[in-house]
Amino acid sequence: MKISVVDFFRETGELTLQIPALPRPTLKELRRDFSWIKSIERDTSPTEAVTLKLGTVLRPSESRVSGAERECRIAESFSSLTDFLGYQQLKWLADNQDEQHAFKALVGKIFIEGPGIIVLHAEDGRRKLPFLNGSERWRLDPNWEWIEHVFHRDGRLAVASR
């Protein structure tokens, strides 16, 4: 009997955008801007040029899932975590938003997570990932997002399509 794994990930079709090759940040580089980072748990984000696509792991009828459920759904939907963008791609998007009109048009409507990198918070050990949000301009949130936090309908996962 063949067991089928449910694929929760679905592209939203909101954006397709080219991002150049970018190196992964070192712990020292990250700590310059985010002194609260204790360590990098994992960084599987791509370093080659990619095409960004946005997606979600919510079923159409759902408005939110727990952080633990989001992680399970990601693991069930992807054989490799190298499909997810990380800090360097989100930073590039924020720094270059004025040239990316389709991307800029989404500001204030959604937030975008980059689960290609997970870091640990120095004080409480919580696992965090970078995300973009904003009301008039995209910004890389300086506090990042707790993995355990609820994933809402407004959330998107940044995925690489090579």
Side-chain angles (χ1 to χ4, degrees):
M1 174 167 63
K2 184 176 180 182
I3 297 175
S4 153
V5 174
V6 175
D7 185 359
F8 287 100
F9 182 80
R10 62 186 168 82
E11 288 184 17
T12 60
E14 296 161 300
L15 183 67
T16 300
L17 184 69
Q18 298 295 336
I19 298 178
L22 299 164
R24 290 181 183 139
T26 65
L27 179 59
K28 184 177 181 179
E29 290 167 341
L30 287 172
R31 292 190 77 203
R32 267 197 306 259
D33 293 327
F34 310 102
S35 59
W36 53 264
I37 294 178
K38 175 182 178 182
S39 62
I40 298 172
E41 180 181 277
R42 71 168 162 74
D43 189 350
T44 59
S45 58
T47 56
E48 68 274 5
V50 295
T51 301
L52 160 75
K53 294 198 177 193
L54 299 177
T56 184
V57 290
L58 293 178
R59 292 180 178 117
S61 62
E62 294 176 317
S63 62
R64 68 180 67 174
V65 294
S66 71
E69 180 64 20
R70 169 188 45 209
E71 278 197 281
C72 287
R73 290 180 181 190
I74 286 172
E76 290 176 10
S77 299
F78 290 88
S79 60
S80 170
L81 295 177
T82 61
D83 294 319
F84 292 103
L85 303 188
Y87 170 78
Q88 70 274 23
Q89 287 92 12
L90 295 189
K91 182 173 183 337
W92 184 90
L93 285 166
D95 291 347
N96 293 280
Q97 64 185 293
D98 293 329
E99 293 84 35
Q100 311 300 330
H101 302 293
F103 173 61
K104 199 159 180 193
L106 294 172
V107 70
K109 298 176 183 172
I110 61 172
F111 65 90
I112 302 171
E113 295 183 347
I117 184 173
I118 305 295
V119 300
L120 298 179
H121 194 283
E123 289 184 22
D124 58 18
R126 286 189 181 221
R127 300 168 64 227
K128 294 185 138 192
L129 60 113
F131 75 105
L132 293 169
N133 65 7
S135 56
E136 295 180 23
R137 290 189 59 78
W138 287 106
R139 71 181 184 92
L140 189 60
D141 192 287
N143 297 312
W144 294 32
E145 175 78 295
W146 288 335
I147 294 283
E148 298 84 10
H149 196 260
V150 171
F151 186 76
H152 294 273
R153 177 160 303 285
D154 297 346
R156 300 294 183 272
L157 299 172
V159 178
S161 172
R162 294 179 188 88

